[in-house]
Each structure stands twice: as C-alpha cells, then as structure tokens.
C-alpha cells in the first residue's frame, strides 16, 4: 500500500501508538489501514450414496487440478451462504444440511478457509464457469496427487476420518508453508 484510500496522501509502514504491529499509516490524515486475512468459504459436498463431489479447475491457480468448491466470501453474506453459493457457481449443485466442518488457517497467503459439509440435493451437479468437470468420488478413488491445494487435502482427510468414526466435529487445522 502506497497511498491512503481515505485522502490519497502517502502512507508509511510503522507501528502506530497503542498497537504492537506495523501498519500502513497515513502521514496526512492519520488513518490506520489494517490489512487482514481473506475469508474463503467452501464445501465438502456429498451425494446420497456418500460419494464426494470434486471440481476440476478451469482457472489458475492450479488449472486442471481437483478441488472442493470454494471461493472468497462476499460482503454481506454469511459463511454458510458463501459456501452454498460457491458450490452452486462451481458445481451447479444445491446443498442441504449444511454444517461447519473445518476452519483451516493458510497464513502464508493470508487466508482462512471455512469448509462446510453438505448433501447435494437430488445428486445433481455439473461444471460451472470456473470448472472443467465435476465428478463424484468414493474415498479410495479420490485423485490425491491431483488435488489443487493443501487445504483441500486437509478438509477431505478430516471429513473421511469423521465419517469412518461415525461422528462429525469441527476441525481447527493449519496449512504449513512448504
């Protein structure tokens, strides 16, 4: 950040009075600009028979790799609504019985991923604009080496372990930088 979005004057990176971290502070009007992590909402959608719905990405980053439907939250929407919207946009699927499944910190890209589990209504799905194809997978046939992101792997591993135990909990997970 080089200029204040409040008055347009240059900003300086410094620790403001009463704070402990460096922030972009406007030299003219004194506005402190906080840069915070982005929230990503997504889902682990399942069909009635338990298969997991994955999307093959039609966009960068990781074009052609498999992922769970997820994306940036919009202003004014809840995290569950964002997960449902992303599932609708990327997999043309409606979700029912949505419940929070995992909170995944991805600090090296300043993101927090909120993953929900949900049932695909009528098992209908298709590729959306950002998706090359959608496919239902049994756990043993998930293309683990072709997953787009570490957070997707963590969410899937936790979901499959929960299902095998017969009890779902909310997971607090973290992606370590490689």
């Amino acid at each position: 950040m080089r200029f204040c979005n409040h008055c347009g004057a240059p900003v300086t990176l410094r620790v403001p009075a009463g704070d402990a971290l460096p922030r972009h502070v406007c030299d003219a009007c004194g506005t402190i600009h906080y840069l915070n992590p982005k929230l990503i909402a997504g889902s682990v959608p399942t069909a009635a028979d338990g298969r997991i719905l994955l999307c093959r990405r039609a966009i960068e980053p990781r074009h052609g790799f498999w992922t769970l439907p997820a994306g940036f939250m919009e202003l004014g929407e809840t995290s569950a609504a964002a997960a449902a919207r992303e599932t609708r946009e990327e997999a043309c699927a409606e979700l029912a019985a949505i419940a929070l499944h995992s909170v995944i910190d991805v600090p090296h890209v300043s993101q927090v991923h909120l993953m929900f589990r949900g049932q695909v209504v009528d098992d209908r799905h298709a590729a959306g604009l950002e998706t090359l194809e959608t496919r239902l997978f049994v756990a043993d046939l998930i293309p683990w080496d072709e997953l787009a992101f570490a957070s997707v792997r963590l969410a899937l591993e936790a979901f499959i372990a929960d299902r095998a135990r017969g009890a779902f909990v909310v997971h607090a997970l973290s992606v370590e930088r490689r």
Side-chain angles (χ1 to χ4, degrees):
M1 175 175 247
R2 294 178 44 187
F3 299 99
C4 178
N5 63 11
H6 183 70
C7 74
V11 297
T12 303
L13 187 62
R14 61 184 161 90
V15 178
D19 205 334
L21 297 173
R23 312 285 185 189
H24 291 96
V25 181
C26 179
D27 297 324
C29 72
T31 298
I32 301 170
H33 299 277
Y34 297 92
L35 301 176
N36 302 104
K38 300 288 186 188
L39 294 174
I40 307 297
S43 69
V44 181
T46 56
D49 64 4
R51 291 180 295 164
I52 299 169
L53 179 62
L54 296 180
C55 303
R56 199 155 65 88
R57 292 177 60 82
I59 59 171
E60 293 293 349
R62 310 291 287 165
H63 181 278
F65 284 81
W66 291 96
T67 191
L68 293 166
F72 293 102
M73 283 182 62
E74 298 291 344
L75 295 176
E77 72 182 344
T78 66
S79 53
R85 176 185 50 77
E86 287 291 341
T87 304
R88 191 177 315 108
E89 289 176 0
E90 295 182 9
C92 300
E94 295 296 328
L95 288 181
I98 298 172
L100 182 62
H101 180 262
S102 52
V103 177
I104 306 170
D105 296 320
V106 192
H108 66 276
V109 291
S110 299
Q111 295 178 356
V112 176
H113 297 197
L114 305 169
M115 301 303 290
F116 291 78
R117 56 187 170 84
Q119 180 105 24
V120 177
V121 175
D122 298 327
D123 287 352
R124 289 190 299 213
H125 60 90
L129 293 175
E130 298 178 357
T131 305
L132 295 170
E133 67 175 301
T134 57
R135 192 180 308 167
L136 293 166
F137 290 93
V138 295
D140 293 344
L141 297 180
I142 289 174
W144 295 102
D145 292 337
E146 298 175 40
L147 294 179
F149 307 106
S151 60
V152 171
R153 174 180 287 277
L154 288 175
L156 286 168
E157 288 172 344
F159 178 85
I160 292 165
D162 283 355
R163 189 166 60 183
R165 260 193 325 274
F168 287 95
V169 298
V170 177
H171 299 269
L173 306 167
S174 183
V175 173
E176 302 301 322
R177 188 173 194 148
R178 296 176 188 210

